[in-house]
Amino acid sequence: MDNIKDIIVQVVASHLKQIKKEFGFKINEDDITVELPKKEEYGDYSTPIVLKIARDNKLNPIEIGAKLQKSISEAKHPYFKSVEFYKPGFINFFISKEILTKNLEEVYLLKEKYGRRKNPHPEKILIEFVSANPTGPLNVVSARAATVGDVLSKLFILDGHQITKEYYINDAGRQVNLLAESMLIRIKQHLGEKCELKDEHYHGEYISELARQMLDEGEFEKIKNDQDVLTKIKEYTLEKLINSQKDVLKKYNIEFDNWFHESSLRKSDLLKECHQLLDKKKLLYKEEDKTFFRSTLFGDEKDRVIIREDETPTYFFVDIAYHYNKIKRGFTCLIDLWGPDHDGYIPRMKGALSALDYGDAKFKVVIIQQVNLLEKSRKVQMSKRLGTIVLMEDLINDIGVDASRFFFLHRSISSHLDFDLDLARKQSEDNPVFYVQYAYARICNIFKQAENKKIKVEYTLYKNDWEWKEEEVKLIKKMFDFPLMIQQAAENIQPNLLPNYLLDLAGIFHQFYTQCRVLDEKQKEITQNRLFLSECTRQILYNGLKIMGVTAPERM
RNA sequence: GCGCCCGUAGCUCAGCUGGAUAGAGCAUCGGAUUUCUAAUCCGAGGGCCACAGGUUCGAAUCCUGUCGGGCGUACCA
């Protein structure tokens, strides 16, 4: 079935064309917006287009509205039971029963594919997220990014795109060198040597433990006299830390298609290639033995160093090469999920990609706002270097994957998220996730009861004499909106629409459950119809929970 | 100083590209279970949508300014 909003836009546009000569106005199809009215009497969908036309052309909205309403009404479009005009200028649409039941049958037939659409402009998207430094375990900030990235990926797939999920491992550069140094110092301390960490080193307890482990395993013994002992330590440490990151992500049910190593980039010719390309466009210059990129030409505040005087590339330069590599792999759209601290980094990166002839329209940076941790209503200072972080793993162990995921998705990504640790456990008891899961479990139980009562489930709708009760209508209409919500969440990058929708759907189901008894041996047709409604609801709850990565329990 | 995010009920937040009487959950108070799981449902109270201007038929939503909170402003990543 086509998207209802598009259908309404088309219908309105075609009828406006018919009457526009009479009034003498012009219309732009893009101006036709469709919204969900707040009150039932205003219909299922509504458009205020008449008000816009009246304003732009200084005409009377009442006259145009009446005419438009009449025109659409008389066409008797199968989608609409009725079309009404309300002052001061709203055209309100009431969906027909036939279309709603047809949609239900579609839910039943399509199952997990319900909500998926064929996109007229499909993209081959690379979405990169988390990409935390491999200098320590993942923390709760990464947990938010991981959740959002994972769910966005699934939403994009439903919206008809092709997706690759990638994690960029910064396994080269200054920070990992400091990591190796920190390890060596800890190892020496374990061996009784006197040496101290400096401020810039990593102070976390996990380094000390890892140093102990390296000694215990005899790995240090093997390399201690090598010339490149620090490199060997680095390799050992990175492997351990990266694996632990992977383990936690796995525990969180997040799978990446690709793990891209920064070190592989440094070994390749891509840096050279990028340098040549940018140089050819006269976008580079040298000053005090450093090479600068003219990012100011692209709206950046100042030009940025890409090669230092000691000829090492800056992080920025390597990142340019990385994104250039993404382009060369044939992606038509690049999406990066960054933290708010990287906000100022956007202009230069966009500039670099424009310079490499990759229109910045296809490079999208999504900023996921920070997570603040509160303990006893006070903010917890987090620093990876100081080791005062709350780990993603602790979070999972504490409140569980389901509740964490729901919690992170529940609010818009541009909002700061205050994570109250004292409340976390409490949250896990009356977390809204259980409200949704409970609706799911209830439905499953209805089917178990049907089995017990030897009621055969036919999965058919008896449409003829079916008088819809209020709760049934609400439920059916809500299910109708699922695909629209998916599309909206994907297009506007609003994963929070998903949990909100599921909460609504679950709530309406609970109402339905209270008011409309499903299993009734005396009323076969009503029983079958309500079983069908329950099954469709179950399917959509299942689909939604699956996108969120939250389990759908059959029993609670 | 400049840039970005946030400011909506006691608390946590929804409010889509401006729309028709500002919504949920938690908390508080009061009801509902001989019938498919009460982790549920129904009802009540609670708001100058931070403040001040502007745009217009219409603003929580857009623009400008002010105040408050956070983040950033590297040859770190």
Side-chain angles (χ1 to χ4, degrees), chain A residues 16 19 23 50-51 60-72 83-86 88-91:
Chain A
L16 278 174
I19 64 169
F23 291 93
V50 171
L51 286 168
N60 184 347
I62 311 252
E63 282 173 29
I64 303 172
K67 191 88 188 178
L68 180 61
Q69 183 269 336
K70 196 169 170 237
S71 175
I72 299 176
V83 180
E84 296 179 4
F85 174 68
Y86 268 71
F90 296 98
I91 303 287

PDB file of all heavy atoms in Angstrom, chain A residues 16 19 23 50-51 60-72 83-86 88-91:
ATOM      1  N   LEU A  16      -6.848  20.625  -6.567  1.00  0.00           N
ATOM      2  CA  LEU A  16      -6.530  22.055  -6.568  1.00  0.00           C
ATOM      3  C   LEU A  16      -6.325  22.544  -7.992  1.00  0.00           C
ATOM      4  O   LEU A  16      -6.715  23.661  -8.350  1.00  0.00           O
ATOM      5  CB  LEU A  16      -5.276  22.315  -5.718  1.00  0.00           C
ATOM      6  CG  LEU A  16      -5.485  22.419  -4.207  1.00  0.00           C
ATOM      7  CD1 LEU A  16      -4.153  22.524  -3.500  1.00  0.00           C
ATOM      8  CD2 LEU A  16      -6.363  23.614  -3.867  1.00  0.00           C
ATOM      9  N   ILE A  19      -9.532  23.490  -9.594  1.00  0.00           N
ATOM     10  CA  ILE A  19     -10.271  24.692  -9.193  1.00  0.00           C
ATOM     11  C   ILE A  19      -9.424  25.963  -9.194  1.00  0.00           C
ATOM     12  O   ILE A  19      -9.942  27.045  -8.938  1.00  0.00           O
ATOM     13  CB  ILE A  19     -10.900  24.516  -7.790  1.00  0.00           C
ATOM     14  CG1 ILE A  19      -9.825  24.342  -6.723  1.00  0.00           C
ATOM     15  CG2 ILE A  19     -11.862  23.336  -7.780  1.00  0.00           C
ATOM     16  CD1 ILE A  19     -10.384  24.441  -5.311  1.00  0.00           C
ATOM     17  N   PHE A  23     -10.331  30.542  -9.157  1.00  0.00           N
ATOM     18  CA  PHE A  23      -9.947  31.531  -8.151  1.00  0.00           C
ATOM     19  C   PHE A  23      -8.717  32.336  -8.543  1.00  0.00           C
ATOM     20  O   PHE A  23      -8.467  33.391  -8.002  1.00  0.00           O
ATOM     21  CB  PHE A  23      -9.677  30.830  -6.807  1.00  0.00           C
ATOM     22  CG  PHE A  23     -10.904  30.274  -6.167  1.00  0.00           C
ATOM     23  CD1 PHE A  23     -11.284  28.963  -6.373  1.00  0.00           C
ATOM     24  CD2 PHE A  23     -11.686  31.073  -5.343  1.00  0.00           C
ATOM     25  CE1 PHE A  23     -12.424  28.448  -5.769  1.00  0.00           C
ATOM     26  CE2 PHE A  23     -12.827  30.562  -4.738  1.00  0.00           C
ATOM     27  CZ  PHE A  23     -13.204  29.247  -4.945  1.00  0.00           C
ATOM     28  N   VAL A  50      -5.324  25.166   2.363  1.00  0.00           N
ATOM     29  CA  VAL A  50      -6.203  26.265   1.950  1.00  0.00           C
ATOM     30  C   VAL A  50      -5.798  27.581   2.631  1.00  0.00           C
ATOM     31  O   VAL A  50      -5.816  28.643   2.024  1.00  0.00           O
ATOM     32  CB  VAL A  50      -7.667  25.908   2.283  1.00  0.00           C
ATOM     33  CG1 VAL A  50      -8.574  27.108   2.070  1.00  0.00           C
ATOM     34  CG2 VAL A  50      -8.125  24.743   1.422  1.00  0.00           C
ATOM     35  N   LEU A  51      -5.397  27.479   3.886  1.00  0.00           N
ATOM     36  CA  LEU A  51      -4.968  28.676   4.609  1.00  0.00           C
ATOM     37  C   LEU A  51      -3.739  29.296   3.947  1.00  0.00           C
ATOM     38  O   LEU A  51      -3.607  30.503   3.847  1.00  0.00           O
ATOM     39  CB  LEU A  51      -4.650  28.315   6.065  1.00  0.00           C
ATOM     40  CG  LEU A  51      -5.857  28.042   6.950  1.00  0.00           C
ATOM     41  CD1 LEU A  51      -5.436  27.423   8.261  1.00  0.00           C
ATOM     42  CD2 LEU A  51      -6.623  29.330   7.195  1.00  0.00           C
ATOM     43  N   ASN A  60     -10.217  34.407   0.011  1.00  0.00           N
ATOM     44  CA  ASN A  60     -11.019  33.945   1.135  1.00  0.00           C
ATOM     45  C   ASN A  60     -10.876  32.429   1.297  1.00  0.00           C
ATOM     46  O   ASN A  60     -11.269  31.670   0.422  1.00  0.00           O
ATOM     47  CB  ASN A  60     -12.479  34.314   0.877  1.00  0.00           C
ATOM     48  CG  ASN A  60     -13.353  33.946   2.066  1.00  0.00           C
ATOM     49  OD1 ASN A  60     -12.909  33.218   2.960  1.00  0.00           O
ATOM     50  ND2 ASN A  60     -14.575  34.452   2.088  1.00  0.00           N
ATOM     51  N   PRO A  61     -10.317  31.983   2.427  1.00  0.00           N
ATOM     52  CA  PRO A  61     -10.078  30.540   2.608  1.00  0.00           C
ATOM     53  C   PRO A  61     -11.375  29.738   2.647  1.00  0.00           C
ATOM     54  O   PRO A  61     -11.394  28.581   2.245  1.00  0.00           O
ATOM     55  CB  PRO A  61      -9.333  30.458   3.943  1.00  0.00           C
ATOM     56  CG  PRO A  61      -9.630  31.734   4.649  1.00  0.00           C
ATOM     57  CD  PRO A  61      -9.838  32.758   3.586  1.00  0.00           C
ATOM     58  N   ILE A  62     -12.429  30.344   3.152  1.00  0.00           N
ATOM     59  CA  ILE A  62     -13.684  29.612   3.295  1.00  0.00           C
ATOM     60  C   ILE A  62     -14.228  29.195   1.924  1.00  0.00           C
ATOM     61  O   ILE A  62     -14.671  28.065   1.738  1.00  0.00           O
ATOM     62  CB  ILE A  62     -14.729  30.466   4.043  1.00  0.00           C
ATOM     63  CG1 ILE A  62     -14.102  31.042   5.299  1.00  0.00           C
ATOM     64  CG2 ILE A  62     -16.011  29.668   4.294  1.00  0.00           C
ATOM     65  CD1 ILE A  62     -14.520  30.497   6.603  1.00  0.00           C
ATOM     66  N   GLU A  63     -14.139  30.104   0.992  1.00  0.00           N
ATOM     67  CA  GLU A  63     -14.661  29.797  -0.346  1.00  0.00           C
ATOM     68  C   GLU A  63     -13.846  28.699  -1.020  1.00  0.00           C
ATOM     69  O   GLU A  63     -14.397  27.742  -1.572  1.00  0.00           O
ATOM     70  CB  GLU A  63     -14.640  31.047  -1.232  1.00  0.00           C
ATOM     71  CG  GLU A  63     -15.785  32.007  -0.929  1.00  0.00           C
ATOM     72  CD  GLU A  63     -15.632  33.310  -1.708  1.00  0.00           C
ATOM     73  OE1 GLU A  63     -15.045  33.276  -2.809  1.00  0.00           O
ATOM     74  OE2 GLU A  63     -16.093  34.355  -1.201  1.00  0.00           O
ATOM     75  N   ILE A  64     -12.540  28.861  -0.973  1.00  0.00           N
ATOM     76  CA  ILE A  64     -11.675  27.850  -1.602  1.00  0.00           C
ATOM     77  C   ILE A  64     -11.866  26.510  -0.913  1.00  0.00           C
ATOM     78  O   ILE A  64     -11.996  25.469  -1.555  1.00  0.00           O
ATOM     79  CB  ILE A  64     -10.192  28.254  -1.510  1.00  0.00           C
ATOM     80  CG1 ILE A  64      -9.979  29.624  -2.156  1.00  0.00           C
ATOM     81  CG2 ILE A  64      -9.314  27.210  -2.200  1.00  0.00           C
ATOM     82  CD1 ILE A  64      -8.581  30.169  -1.939  1.00  0.00           C
ATOM     83  N   GLY A  65     -11.880  26.542   0.411  1.00  0.00           N
ATOM     84  CA  GLY A  65     -12.002  25.302   1.176  1.00  0.00           C
ATOM     85  C   GLY A  65     -13.277  24.556   0.852  1.00  0.00           C
ATOM     86  O   GLY A  65     -13.261  23.345   0.641  1.00  0.00           O
ATOM     87  N   ALA A  66     -14.379  25.286   0.789  1.00  0.00           N
ATOM     88  CA  ALA A  66     -15.666  24.654   0.497  1.00  0.00           C
ATOM     89  C   ALA A  66     -15.620  24.008  -0.880  1.00  0.00           C
ATOM     90  O   ALA A  66     -16.086  22.876  -1.081  1.00  0.00           O
ATOM     91  CB  ALA A  66     -16.777  25.688   0.581  1.00  0.00           C
ATOM     92  N   LYS A  67     -15.040  24.730  -1.806  1.00  0.00           N
ATOM     93  CA  LYS A  67     -14.976  24.241  -3.183  1.00  0.00           C
ATOM     94  C   LYS A  67     -14.094  22.985  -3.262  1.00  0.00           C
ATOM     95  O   LYS A  67     -14.454  21.989  -3.893  1.00  0.00           O
ATOM     96  CB  LYS A  67     -14.383  25.351  -4.056  1.00  0.00           C
ATOM     97  CG  LYS A  67     -14.489  25.091  -5.521  1.00  0.00           C
ATOM     98  CD  LYS A  67     -15.828  25.610  -6.046  1.00  0.00           C
ATOM     99  CE  LYS A  67     -16.021  25.178  -7.489  1.00  0.00           C
ATOM    100  NZ  LYS A  67     -17.320  25.627  -8.005  1.00  0.00           N
ATOM    101  N   LEU A  68     -12.950  23.068  -2.617  1.00  0.00           N
ATOM    102  CA  LEU A  68     -12.013  21.946  -2.651  1.00  0.00           C
ATOM    103  C   LEU A  68     -12.628  20.715  -1.993  1.00  0.00           C
ATOM    104  O   LEU A  68     -12.535  19.594  -2.515  1.00  0.00           O
ATOM    105  CB  LEU A  68     -10.710  22.338  -1.934  1.00  0.00           C
ATOM    106  CG  LEU A  68      -9.611  21.286  -1.884  1.00  0.00           C
ATOM    107  CD1 LEU A  68      -9.158  20.896  -3.289  1.00  0.00           C
ATOM    108  CD2 LEU A  68      -8.409  21.801  -1.092  1.00  0.00           C
ATOM    109  N   GLN A  69     -13.268  20.937  -0.873  1.00  0.00           N
ATOM    110  CA  GLN A  69     -13.893  19.833  -0.158  1.00  0.00           C
ATOM    111  C   GLN A  69     -14.938  19.153  -1.031  1.00  0.00           C
ATOM    112  O   GLN A  69     -15.003  17.935  -1.130  1.00  0.00           O
ATOM    113  CB  GLN A  69     -14.526  20.367   1.131  1.00  0.00           C
ATOM    114  CG  GLN A  69     -15.149  19.318   2.012  1.00  0.00           C
ATOM    115  CD  GLN A  69     -16.616  19.110   1.693  1.00  0.00           C
ATOM    116  OE1 GLN A  69     -17.278  20.006   1.157  1.00  0.00           O
ATOM    117  NE2 GLN A  69     -17.113  17.923   2.000  1.00  0.00           N
ATOM    118  N   LYS A  70     -15.736  19.961  -1.705  1.00  0.00           N
ATOM    119  CA  LYS A  70     -16.798  19.431  -2.562  1.00  0.00           C
ATOM    120  C   LYS A  70     -16.181  18.606  -3.692  1.00  0.00           C
ATOM    121  O   LYS A  70     -16.611  17.487  -3.989  1.00  0.00           O
ATOM    122  CB  LYS A  70     -17.593  20.603  -3.136  1.00  0.00           C
ATOM    123  CG  LYS A  70     -18.927  20.175  -3.717  1.00  0.00           C
ATOM    124  CD  LYS A  70     -19.814  21.390  -4.029  1.00  0.00           C
ATOM    125  CE  LYS A  70     -21.032  20.926  -4.827  1.00  0.00           C
ATOM    126  NZ  LYS A  70     -21.172  21.619  -6.120  1.00  0.00           N
ATOM    127  N   SER A  71     -15.169  19.162  -4.276  1.00  0.00           N
ATOM    128  CA  SER A  71     -14.507  18.508  -5.405  1.00  0.00           C
ATOM    129  C   SER A  71     -13.942  17.141  -5.003  1.00  0.00           C
ATOM    130  O   SER A  71     -14.145  16.138  -5.689  1.00  0.00           O
ATOM    131  CB  SER A  71     -13.395  19.423  -5.925  1.00  0.00           C
ATOM    132  OG  SER A  71     -12.657  18.781  -6.926  1.00  0.00           O
ATOM    133  N   ILE A  72     -13.242  17.104  -3.866  1.00  0.00           N
ATOM    134  CA  ILE A  72     -12.645  15.839  -3.435  1.00  0.00           C
ATOM    135  C   ILE A  72     -13.732  14.850  -3.016  1.00  0.00           C
ATOM    136  O   ILE A  72     -13.691  13.679  -3.347  1.00  0.00           O
ATOM    137  CB  ILE A  72     -11.670  16.057  -2.253  1.00  0.00           C
ATOM    138  CG1 ILE A  72     -10.521  16.981  -2.671  1.00  0.00           C
ATOM    139  CG2 ILE A  72     -11.099  14.724  -1.763  1.00  0.00           C
ATOM    140  CD1 ILE A  72      -9.568  17.342  -1.557  1.00  0.00           C
ATOM    141  N   VAL A  83     -14.642  13.448   3.579  1.00  0.00           N
ATOM    142  CA  VAL A  83     -13.694  14.553   3.566  1.00  0.00           C
ATOM    143  C   VAL A  83     -14.467  15.784   3.985  1.00  0.00           C
ATOM    144  O   VAL A  83     -15.511  16.083   3.405  1.00  0.00           O
ATOM    145  CB  VAL A  83     -13.109  14.760   2.151  1.00  0.00           C
ATOM    146  CG1 VAL A  83     -12.121  15.912   2.146  1.00  0.00           C
ATOM    147  CG2 VAL A  83     -12.451  13.478   1.668  1.00  0.00           C
ATOM    148  N   GLU A  84     -13.963  16.469   5.010  1.00  0.00           N
ATOM    149  CA  GLU A  84     -14.725  17.598   5.519  1.00  0.00           C
ATOM    150  C   GLU A  84     -13.906  18.875   5.532  1.00  0.00           C
ATOM    151  O   GLU A  84     -12.681  18.841   5.527  1.00  0.00           O
ATOM    152  CB  GLU A  84     -15.225  17.287   6.941  1.00  0.00           C
ATOM    153  CG  GLU A  84     -16.200  16.127   6.944  1.00  0.00           C
ATOM    154  CD  GLU A  84     -16.702  15.783   8.326  1.00  0.00           C
ATOM    155  OE1 GLU A  84     -16.347  16.505   9.289  1.00  0.00           O
ATOM    156  OE2 GLU A  84     -17.443  14.785   8.435  1.00  0.00           O
ATOM    157  N   PHE A  85     -14.620  19.967   5.555  1.00  0.00           N
ATOM    158  CA  PHE A  85     -13.956  21.264   5.625  1.00  0.00           C
ATOM    159  C   PHE A  85     -14.284  21.928   6.963  1.00  0.00           C
ATOM    160  O   PHE A  85     -15.443  21.967   7.382  1.00  0.00           O
ATOM    161  CB  PHE A  85     -14.431  22.160   4.479  1.00  0.00           C
ATOM    162  CG  PHE A  85     -13.895  23.558   4.583  1.00  0.00           C
ATOM    163  CD1 PHE A  85     -12.542  23.802   4.420  1.00  0.00           C
ATOM    164  CD2 PHE A  85     -14.734  24.626   4.882  1.00  0.00           C
ATOM    165  CE1 PHE A  85     -12.035  25.090   4.533  1.00  0.00           C
ATOM    166  CE2 PHE A  85     -14.225  25.914   5.001  1.00  0.00           C
ATOM    167  CZ  PHE A  85     -12.870  26.140   4.832  1.00  0.00           C
ATOM    168  N   TYR A  86     -13.263  22.388   7.630  1.00  0.00           N
ATOM    169  CA  TYR A  86     -13.465  23.051   8.919  1.00  0.00           C
ATOM    170  C   TYR A  86     -12.883  24.446   8.855  1.00  0.00           C
ATOM    171  O   TYR A  86     -11.823  24.674   8.288  1.00  0.00           O
ATOM    172  CB  TYR A  86     -12.739  22.275  10.032  1.00  0.00           C
ATOM    173  CG  TYR A  86     -13.599  21.232  10.715  1.00  0.00           C
ATOM    174  CD1 TYR A  86     -13.958  20.067  10.050  1.00  0.00           C
ATOM    175  CD2 TYR A  86     -14.025  21.410  12.031  1.00  0.00           C
ATOM    176  CE1 TYR A  86     -14.728  19.103  10.672  1.00  0.00           C
ATOM    177  CE2 TYR A  86     -14.799  20.459  12.664  1.00  0.00           C
ATOM    178  CZ  TYR A  86     -15.153  19.307  11.989  1.00  0.00           C
ATOM    179  OH  TYR A  86     -15.918  18.363  12.611  1.00  0.00           O
ATOM    180  N   PRO A  88     -10.856  27.531  10.292  1.00  0.00           N
ATOM    181  CA  PRO A  88     -10.829  28.551   9.254  1.00  0.00           C
ATOM    182  C   PRO A  88     -10.340  28.044   7.894  1.00  0.00           C
ATOM    183  O   PRO A  88     -10.470  28.770   6.915  1.00  0.00           O
ATOM    184  CB  PRO A  88      -9.835  29.565   9.804  1.00  0.00           C
ATOM    185  CG  PRO A  88      -8.898  28.752  10.611  1.00  0.00           C
ATOM    186  CD  PRO A  88      -9.697  27.619  11.176  1.00  0.00           C
ATOM    187  N   GLY A  89      -9.779  26.828   7.838  1.00  0.00           N
ATOM    188  CA  GLY A  89      -9.321  26.410   6.509  1.00  0.00           C
ATOM    189  C   GLY A  89      -8.713  25.030   6.463  1.00  0.00           C
ATOM    190  O   GLY A  89      -7.742  24.789   5.756  1.00  0.00           O
ATOM    191  N   PHE A  90      -9.229  24.135   7.255  1.00  0.00           N
ATOM    192  CA  PHE A  90      -8.663  22.783   7.262  1.00  0.00           C
ATOM    193  C   PHE A  90      -9.514  21.824   6.440  1.00  0.00           C
ATOM    194  O   PHE A  90     -10.738  21.819   6.565  1.00  0.00           O
ATOM    195  CB  PHE A  90      -8.576  22.245   8.692  1.00  0.00           C
ATOM    196  CG  PHE A  90      -7.641  23.027   9.551  1.00  0.00           C
ATOM    197  CD1 PHE A  90      -8.112  24.010  10.398  1.00  0.00           C
ATOM    198  CD2 PHE A  90      -6.277  22.776   9.499  1.00  0.00           C
ATOM    199  CE1 PHE A  90      -7.238  24.746  11.187  1.00  0.00           C
ATOM    200  CE2 PHE A  90      -5.403  23.503  10.291  1.00  0.00           C
ATOM    201  CZ  PHE A  90      -5.881  24.494  11.132  1.00  0.00           C
ATOM    202  N   ILE A  91      -8.847  21.022   5.626  1.00  0.00           N
ATOM    203  CA  ILE A  91      -9.526  19.934   4.935  1.00  0.00           C
ATOM    204  C   ILE A  91      -9.187  18.674   5.726  1.00  0.00           C
ATOM    205  O   ILE A  91      -8.024  18.311   5.863  1.00  0.00           O
ATOM    206  CB  ILE A  91      -9.017  19.776   3.488  1.00  0.00           C
ATOM    207  CG1 ILE A  91      -9.180  21.076   2.700  1.00  0.00           C
ATOM    208  CG2 ILE A  91      -9.750  18.617   2.819  1.00  0.00           C
ATOM    209  CD1 ILE A  91     -10.593  21.405   2.316  1.00  0.00           C
TER     210      ILE A  91
END
